[in-house]
Amino acid sequence: MTQVAVVGVGTTGSHAARQLTQLALASLVIDDDDRRREARVAKAVATTLGRDAIGRGLSDHRDHPDVVVLCTPAGTHHRLATIWLQRGAHVVSISDDPEEVAALLDLDAVARQHDRALVAGAGFAPGLSCVLARFAALDLDAVEVISVYTAGTGGPACARQHHRALKRPGRDWIDGEWVLRRGGSGRDLAWFPDPFGARDCYRGALASPLLLQRVFPEARRISARIAASRRDRLTIRLPMLRPPHRDGGPGGIRVEVRGRRADAVETRILGVMDHPSVAAGTMAAVAVAEVLDGRIGAGASGLADHDDPKRLLRELRRRGVRAAEFSGVPEIAGA
């Protein structure tokens, strides 16, 4: 009987929990340091799964979930992933901190030793951004350039990570090596799906390039930028001046992949417009389903490693997260 646990049910974790109720689970455990929030989310999902199928609180020593979904703030995932892998659970992490994602990938030997899957960066960006890039590259004989642009934030933890990312250096993959770039530099105007429109985007400490380079080491350039307002850039070096909103509202992803097919150069551009918290929670739930179905094997990997991105996009679309391709005529990606 399958048991899944969601650790951390803030804005994104609560969406993940709701999406997980669509799976055929024996039970779903909700765990959060804030017991009132834990109770509120447990009550909400119980209306779908039934009260007897919902558990509250997760003990490292008592419970044995099949999959643990980590939706806690960045910086906590490596320790928790290590604990649960060693206890025999698969782990899905939505952390978007590049240093933590790298540390999670370094747990590959631990995951293989216990014959468990560890999915790193299974949220909005990285996560959905990686699926879009992998899908865009399907028809190309060789990938040369991948550019990822993201806009918007999820809950308060995501907003704080966005603030930190802008003031920390980012890494671009250029001609076979990693190159450090100053956070907040490299202004680039990116067009996201309507109605979000155009946003100025800048370099920062972002994890998508790290996960994409594993799959496309032959690419000449892999980079990522995040949208930032003038106020964001002016306050980069300061603590956040006011508490983040509970939900950052709508956001978007734009992924450009340039490469060669036969003798021609081709560029494919895909995008998504959604609330990052909703899309990230949905992406995490889809990753759980892939793990339970055996489509993601033992070891540490990202969603760019997945062999069938079209399947992932179809499942996301079924759950309400729609990707589109910029081709002059609106097209649904993965259809």
Side-chain angles (χ1 to χ4, degrees):
M1 301 294 284
T2 303
Q3 181 185 82
V4 175
V6 180
V7 181
V9 286
T11 308
T12 299
S14 61
H15 285 300
R18 290 182 177 90
Q19 288 291 329
L20 285 166
T21 62
Q22 297 188 30
L23 303 182
L25 302 178
S27 63
L28 177 65
V29 177
I30 305 300
D31 181 85
D32 196 281
D33 290 339
D34 184 332
R35 297 307 178 194
R36 295 176 66 180
R37 183 165 61 191
E38 178 184 279
R40 184 171 63 250
V41 175
K43 181 180 180 180
V45 297
T47 59
T48 302
L49 276 183
R51 191 170 301 278
D52 293 340
I54 302 300
R56 283 181 54 194
L58 193 60
S59 167
D60 292 351
H61 307 289
R62 185 185 71 244
D63 295 289
H64 299 277
D66 297 281
V67 185
V68 174
V69 186
L70 300 179
C71 299
T72 50
T76 63
H77 291 226
H78 182 267
R79 180 184 65 84
L80 292 172
T82 303
I83 291 171
W84 288 109
L85 286 172
Q86 292 174 340
R87 290 193 58 78
H90 302 286
V91 175
V92 173
S93 164
I94 68 164
S95 176
D96 58 356
D97 180 272
E99 293 180 2
E100 186 163 59
V101 168
L104 289 170
L105 293 175
D106 286 342
L107 291 175
D108 181 70
V110 177
R112 292 183 185 276
Q113 177 186 351
H114 295 277
D115 194 29
R116 288 296 177 262
L118 166 57
V119 185
F124 191 59
L128 181 50
S129 61
C130 297
V131 175
L132 293 175
R134 184 66 187 265
F135 176 78
L138 283 179
D139 296 330
L140 299 176
D141 299 322
V143 171
E144 296 180 347
V145 178
I146 304 176
S147 302
V148 177
Y149 303 88
T150 56
T153 60
C158 182
R160 294 186 186 98
Q161 177 61 23
H162 176 276
H163 185 76
R164 287 192 296 268
L166 277 171
K167 65 181 178 182
R168 292 163 53 194
R171 294 179 181 269
D172 288 354
W173 179 254
I174 301 175
D175 294 330
E177 63 181 9
W178 290 108
V179 178
L180 278 177
R181 300 291 198 180
R182 182 171 58 84
S185 67
R187 177 183 174 185
D188 197 358
L189 183 66
W191 288 87
F192 294 92
D194 289 334
F196 207 63
R199 293 289 191 277
D200 284 327
C201 297
Y202 303 86
R203 298 186 180 103
L206 306 171
S208 291
L210 173 66
L211 291 165
L212 291 169
Q213 189 274 337
R214 287 163 44 90
V215 181
F216 303 104
E218 77 285 356
R220 290 192 302 104
R221 184 183 294 267
I222 303 175
S223 63
R225 287 175 169 81
I226 49 176
S229 66
R230 179 176 296 179
R231 185 181 64 193
D232 291 333
R233 298 189 66 235
L234 288 173
T235 59
I236 282 175
R237 310 300 169 190
L238 302 174
M240 294 192 74
L241 300 179
R242 61 184 182 183
H245 294 292
R246 183 175 177 274
D247 190 311
I253 301 176
R254 176 188 174 98
V255 174
E256 301 179 13
V257 177
R258 188 176 76 217
R260 291 189 172 274
R261 183 162 60 172
D263 296 327
V265 175
E266 185 171 316
T267 300
R268 299 189 68 183
I269 304 174
L270 280 79
V272 168
M273 203 289 287
D274 208 323
H275 282 62
S277 58
V278 174
T282 306
M283 187 76 262
V286 170
V288 170
E290 295 297 292
V291 169
L292 291 175
D293 289 344
R295 295 188 178 90
I296 298 178
S301 63
L303 291 175
D305 295 86
H306 199 288
D307 291 332
D308 192 356
K310 183 178 288 189
R311 171 188 169 80
L312 298 181
L313 289 176
R314 282 199 301 265
E315 182 60 21
L316 287 165
R317 186 173 73 249
R318 187 183 73 80
R319 291 168 177 260
V321 179
R322 294 175 176 269
E325 184 162 4
F326 294 79
S327 60
V329 177
E331 295 181 23
I332 300 299

